[in-house]
Amino acid sequence: MGKLIADMRGLQRVAFTIIVSLVVISANTPAWAKDFPDKIGVLMINHGEPAEYNSETYQDFKAFVKHMIDVGFMPKFLMSIDTGTILMDEKNDHWVPFWKRSLVDAWGNKYNGFAFYVPGNEKMGIPPHYLKIFGRGRGEPDVFEYAGLEAYKVWQEMGGRSPYREQTVPQMENVSRLLKMRYGDKISVKIAYGFEQGDIENKTKELLDENVDILIVAPQVVVDSYFEGTLHWIKEVHNALNEYALEKGKTIQLIETEPMGLERDFIKGIVLKVKEELSNIPSNANVAIFLSNHGFPLTRCGDYDCQSDPYHHYAREIFERIE
């Protein structure tokens, strides 16, 4: 029992290291790590965001919308609505003669042929668009094409490329590097992106193929939710573990870390940042400090009870700790 407790404390130290991205560098493996299993797998999960929008990354947006439908966030009947190929005019939000149009479909393909104009329905969230009866969109639910075109529009507004990955990849790679420096061949680290269809499951399988004995899953999120975590990311991890257990007849211990927003060092970082900003403001100034997060609805979202999602509990706890 004593050895088990010692092992678990050691694993908690590893998880803590990942969450707050702080590692004490050492050339030698710590004494407590010598009693660890031969291999510990660490899966760092980032929400992810495609650098570019194209026909391949369209599939990622489609998969995310499908997840929203599967958990009840959106009604399932949307899957049965298919009017053809939805086209967006990049230059106009109303009908114009064909020679003034710049039509594009959800896969990023330009189109110059004949198409019907559909004024849309603001109450139903359907934007004005053009419709091609056949084409690539025939057989594809309209809801996926609408989501893809909306993403295409956002990416165009960013100049065609999102800076998200350039900002987050170095952070995660640095944590991976420090972990390997600290624990050497005792640990194997993989980075997965939740928004990329199947990436979490594939990276989990890669770790399992390295014969890890324990798997630590550490989402790089400040506030977690069932909607995105348990019912999406962690579900992919379990899919890989179940498949591995059936094939190899071996079960792997799984440890899920808490949201990094609950860690003391993260809270301390927020407070220090606020103090830094306040130091640039006159001492007699009236200052209002707003604590904000991504946000999540406080009502039912279709069949999904957004109000009961633990997201709200985590967010409140983080705000209270910062205050």
Side-chain angles (χ1 to χ4, degrees), residues 123-136:
K123 291 184 178 180
M124 295 182 64
I126 300 176
H129 60 275
Y130 288 84
L131 179 65
K132 179 183 177 183
I133 301 300
F134 298 102
R136 190 167 184 176

Side-chain angles (χ1 to χ4, degrees), residues 33 37 40 91-92 107 115 138 165 184 204 211 221 246 271 280 303 305 307 312:
I40 300 170
K91 296 181 178 179
N92 310 281
W107 293 267
R138 171 57 68 183
R165 183 155 296 199
T204 302
N211 296 317
V221 293
L246 289 173
V271 173
N280 299 318
D303 292 332
D305 189 1
Q307 187 174 4
H312 306 293

Side-chain angles (χ1 to χ4, degrees), residues 12-77:
Q12 289 170 359
R13 295 187 207 180
V14 177
F16 176 80
T17 299
I18 299 165
I19 298 171
V20 300
S21 303
L22 295 173
V23 180
V24 178
I25 305 302
S26 173
N28 301 314
T29 302
W32 53 263
K34 293 179 180 178
D35 294 329
F36 270 20
D38 291 337
K39 198 77 169 182
I40 300 170
V42 177
L43 182 67
M44 290 192 292
I45 303 177
N46 186 282
H47 181 276
E49 185 174 282
E52 299 178 356
Y53 181 88
N54 52 46
S55 59
E56 292 184 5
T57 54
Y58 163 79
Q59 300 300 325
D60 297 328
F61 288 94
K62 175 180 176 179
F64 186 75
V65 174
K66 178 64 164 54
H67 166 64
M68 295 178 72
I69 293 174
D70 288 342
V71 301
F73 217 90
M74 300 170 68
K76 294 186 183 300
F77 74 81

Side-chain angles (χ1 to χ4, degrees), residues 5-263:
I5 293 174
D7 286 349
M8 290 306 297
R9 285 176 179 169
L11 288 169
Q12 289 170 359
R13 295 187 207 180
V14 177
F16 176 80
T17 299
I18 299 165
I19 298 171
V20 300
S21 303
L22 295 173
V23 180
V24 178
I25 305 302
S26 173
N28 301 314
T29 302
W32 53 263
K34 293 179 180 178
D35 294 329
F36 270 20
D38 291 337
K39 198 77 169 182
I40 300 170
V42 177
L43 182 67
M44 290 192 292
I45 303 177
N46 186 282
H47 181 276
E49 185 174 282
E52 299 178 356
Y53 181 88
N54 52 46
S55 59
E56 292 184 5
T57 54
Y58 163 79
Q59 300 300 325
D60 297 328
F61 288 94
K62 175 180 176 179
F64 186 75
V65 174
K66 178 64 164 54
H67 166 64
M68 295 178 72
I69 293 174
D70 288 342
V71 301
F73 217 90
M74 300 170 68
K76 294 186 183 300
F77 74 81
L78 293 175
M79 294 288 292
S80 62
I81 300 177
D82 172 27
T83 57
T85 301
I86 309 297
L87 301 164
M88 177 181 70
D89 189 343
E90 297 184 83
K91 296 181 178 179
N92 310 281
D93 59 1
H94 56 278
W95 183 90
V96 294
F98 71 89
W99 60 85
K100 293 184 178 181
R101 301 172 188 169
S102 179
L103 302 182
V104 62
D105 66 20
W107 293 267
N109 300 312
K110 306 292 184 178
Y111 179 71
N112 298 316
F114 175 78
F116 295 99
Y117 177 71
V118 181
N121 188 315
E122 186 175 349
K123 291 184 178 180
M124 295 182 64
I126 300 176
H129 60 275
Y130 288 84
L131 179 65
K132 179 183 177 183
I133 301 300
F134 298 102
R136 190 167 184 176
R138 171 57 68 183
E140 185 85 343
D142 289 355
V143 64
F144 296 148
E145 294 181 71
Y146 286 133
L149 286 169
E150 185 62 29
Y152 175 88
K153 181 180 178 181
V154 172
W155 258 248
Q156 291 302 111
E157 291 172 351
M158 291 191 290
R161 187 173 183 83
S162 167
Y164 182 89
R165 183 155 296 199
E166 283 84 352
Q167 295 171 352
T168 57
V169 167
Q171 299 171 4
M172 300 183 76
E173 288 181 341
N174 187 52
V175 175
S176 176
R177 178 181 62 83
L178 294 175
L179 283 169
K180 290 175 181 177
M181 289 178 63
R182 172 67 168 166
Y183 304 109
D185 58 5
K186 288 280 186 179
I187 199 167
S188 181
V189 183
K190 297 291 182 184
I191 298 172
Y193 294 95
F195 200 81
E196 294 185 12
Q197 184 182 13
D199 192 48
I200 293 176
E201 188 168 344
N202 291 336
K203 293 296 172 54
T204 302
K205 289 179 178 179
E206 290 179 15
L207 284 170
L208 295 176
D209 287 340
E210 295 184 27
N211 296 317
V212 299
D213 298 282
I214 292 177
L215 177 63
I216 299 175
V217 178
Q220 193 187 34
V221 293
V222 176
V223 180
D224 200 0
S225 68
Y226 280 160
F227 167 74
E228 192 163 55
T230 304
L231 299 177
H232 191 192
W233 298 351
I234 305 303
K235 182 180 178 181
E236 287 194 39
V237 173
H238 281 288
N239 288 342
L241 289 173
N242 292 337
E243 183 178 326
Y244 183 81
L246 289 173
E247 290 182 359
K248 306 292 185 179
K250 178 183 177 182
T251 57
I252 304 297
Q253 183 180 353
L254 175 65
I255 296 176
E256 298 176 34
T257 65
E258 286 191 319
M260 64 181 182
L262 296 177
E263 292 300 325

